[in-house]
């Protein structure tokens, strides 16, 4: 079930996070896959500043329908595709995507190591994936503090917990990926990301 109030609170973060990804990985063309799309904000922001084909992938038809509706309201020219699938059994061939991003969905995967291995499988040689959760490095400090507070309150209200950095590392290590590194959102120390390269 989508928690749209949570997405609405976080909306100012999405363009900044995508700008960070574009800057970090020199993204402009190719295929970008957004895994666990929610309302589609990440893929939409990517479409605004690159010529990449955007593939929205989610196990929830409700999320895909909302992402499609939101994307169609954008005035962009990117090729786009919406795929209903589980990250643990991706329907794409090997070496499919130039860039794969997933923010906030790994916490809900039944077998995260399988999902990470599938993401690695569909990455093109030279491609990169970034999977995890956080607010990115580009947020102003005051906004970061406000959004972190809102996120913590949301977790408490929903009685959910997120892994700490050591627990996240253990999840990633189980996937036995050949080339990855664990990242945080920098000095703020928050965020848990795995960067996967092929």
């Amino acid at each position: 079930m989508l928690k749209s109030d949570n997405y609405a609170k976080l909306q100012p973060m999405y363009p900044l996070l995508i700008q960070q990804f574009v800057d970090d990985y020199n993204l402009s063309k190719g295929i970008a896959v957004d895994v666990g799309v929610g309302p589609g904000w990440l893929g939409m922001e990517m479409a605004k500043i690159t010529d990449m084909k955007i593939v929205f992938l989610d196990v929830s038809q409700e999320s895909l329908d909302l992402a499609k509706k939101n994307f169609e309201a954008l005035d962009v020219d990117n090729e786009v595709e919406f795929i209903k699938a589980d990250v643990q059994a991706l329907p794409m061939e090997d070496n499919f995507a130039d860039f794969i991003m997933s923010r906030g969905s790994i916490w809900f995967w039944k077998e995260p190591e399988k999902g990470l291995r599938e993401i690695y499988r569909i990455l093109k040689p030279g491609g990169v994936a970034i999977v995890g959760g956080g607010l990115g490095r580009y947020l102003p400090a005051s906004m970061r503090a406000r959004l972190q507070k809102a996120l913590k309150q949301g977790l408490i209200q929903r009685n959910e917990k997120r892994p700490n950095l050591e627990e996240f590392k253990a999840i990633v290590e189980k996937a036995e990926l050949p080339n990855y590194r664990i990242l945080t959102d920098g000095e703020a120390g928050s965020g848990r990301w795995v960067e996967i390269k092929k």
Side-chain angles (χ1 to χ4, degrees):
M1 184 66 188
L2 287 171
K3 298 167 184 73
S4 53
D5 59 328
N6 207 32
Y7 285 108
K9 280 180 194 151
L10 291 177
Q11 203 161 3
M13 174 267 303
Y14 291 98
L16 297 172
L17 189 59
I18 288 298
Q19 189 64 59
Q20 176 188 316
F21 294 162
V22 167
D23 292 347
D24 286 354
Y25 306 118
N26 195 27
L27 303 171
S28 62
K29 294 186 183 326
I31 298 171
V33 179
D34 181 4
V35 175
V37 300
W41 303 138
L42 277 183
M44 287 165 51
E45 294 300 334
M46 184 66 78
K48 288 178 187 176
I49 63 171
T50 73
D51 287 323
M52 299 187 88
K53 174 181 177 177
I54 313 293
V55 178
F56 292 89
L57 186 137
D58 206 296
V59 73
S60 158
Q61 190 61 52
E62 180 191 9
S63 291
L64 288 171
D65 290 346
L66 182 57
K68 186 172 187 180
K69 183 179 156 202
N70 288 335
F71 190 86
E72 285 171 352
L74 282 183
D75 189 18
V76 294
D77 302 309
N78 306 65
E79 192 180 337
V80 67
E81 195 173 350
F82 297 86
I83 298 175
K84 185 174 190 278
D86 190 318
V87 68
Q88 288 140 180
L90 294 172
M92 293 91 148
E93 67 272 16
D94 296 356
N95 310 320
F96 169 80
D98 299 278
F99 182 67
I100 302 170
M101 56 189 165
S102 181
R103 187 209 168 275
S105 76
I106 190 173
W107 322 128
F108 303 100
W109 302 352
K110 285 186 187 81
E111 295 177 87
E113 66 279 7
K114 269 192 186 174
L116 292 172
R117 282 197 293 268
E118 276 289 271
I119 283 171
Y120 180 80
R121 179 184 67 77
I122 70 161
L123 262 186
K124 286 181 184 173
V128 65
I130 185 94
V131 178
L135 300 172
R137 299 189 315 270
Y138 287 8
L139 275 186
S142 58
M143 188 189 295
R144 177 181 303 282
R146 179 168 48 83
L147 293 182
Q148 281 177 330
K149 185 177 175 189
L151 283 171
K152 281 183 186 145
Q153 287 172 337
L155 288 173
I156 291 165
Q157 287 167 357
R158 296 188 307 274
N159 198 25
E160 290 179 15
K161 189 176 177 285
R162 297 290 178 261
N164 66 31
L165 193 56
E166 291 309 310
E167 291 165 339
F168 183 65
K169 283 179 183 172
I171 290 167
V172 174
E173 281 166 11
K174 277 179 77 177
E176 299 179 341
L177 301 166
N179 187 9
Y180 74 91
R181 63 185 180 139
I182 303 291
L183 306 172
T184 65
D185 288 337
E187 287 177 28
S190 62
R192 315 271 180 273
W193 302 94
V194 57
E195 176 193 81
I196 304 165
K197 290 190 173 178
K198 197 173 200 180

